[in-house]
Amino acid sequence: MFTGIVTAVGTIREARQGGDLRAVIACPFDPAGIAMGASIACSGVCLTVVDKGGVAGDAWFAVDISAESVARTVPGRWGQGSHLNLEPALKLGDELGGHIVTGHVDGVGTVASITPVGDSHRFVIAAPKELAPYLAPKGSITVDGVSLTVNEVSDEADGTCRFTLNIIPHTAEVTTIGALREGGAVNLEIDVLARYLQRMQSLRG
């Protein structure tokens, strides 16, 4: 379980295709604090540490990424040189600064527009129709592993929807969100509470 509060940005140093895709991710963590078998969210995807090394501030860890995970996430995200938002799993007693995040990507969205608003930027994200029922104004959404608040939602005639986000300078600076451009793809995870509420509503119907 995660909170969507990114603690570092890592870079895929190496990607090797075997039975699964193994990625070696460089990061500024202390390897002594990375446990073998631990979960780390990588741009919203919960992955298991299978190897690690380096020194404090210049560490690396390796993860195996299944074909299912590759297929359900942003195309090309797992190539060498890609930057990833990193968040270690939540520990008992940690501050829940974002919202409850599982690290299971529900779909891929597209950045429809980016507009400066004061010092911040207004992002409009196009979401697939499968996710539209789970998005609501002032609800939570995870975008590439970052916990964000939905400002507005507009439904499209084809069943898809668009939602807006306000990205403050700090978020743009400490995550990969600041490097996004119009047309870019992002991993989306809907709020877990919205998932259960939608299921309950469908059973009532």
Side-chain angles (χ1 to χ4, degrees), residues 43-120:
S43 285
V45 183
C46 177
L47 298 172
T48 301
V49 175
V50 297
D51 199 2
K52 64 174 183 173
V55 297
D58 185 20
W60 60 268
F61 64 93
V63 294
D64 289 333
I65 309 164
S66 69
E68 173 74 5
S69 293
V70 172
R72 287 186 172 272
T73 56
V74 170
R77 176 56 55 85
W78 306 109
Q80 183 176 351
S82 292
H83 299 300
L84 304 171
N85 294 318
L86 303 179
E87 182 192 355
L90 185 66
K91 298 182 181 66
L92 190 64
D94 284 352
E95 179 182 354
L96 188 62
H99 70 282
I100 296 173
V101 175
T102 64
H104 300 152
V105 172
D106 293 298
V108 173
T110 303
V111 180
S113 67
I114 303 174
T115 307
V117 180
D119 293 329
S120 300

Side-chain angles (χ1 to χ4, degrees), residues 17 31 44 57 61 105 131 139 148 155 167 183 194 199:
Q17 185 68 58
F61 64 93
V105 172
L131 304 190
L148 296 166
D155 294 313
I167 305 299
R199 172 63 174 163

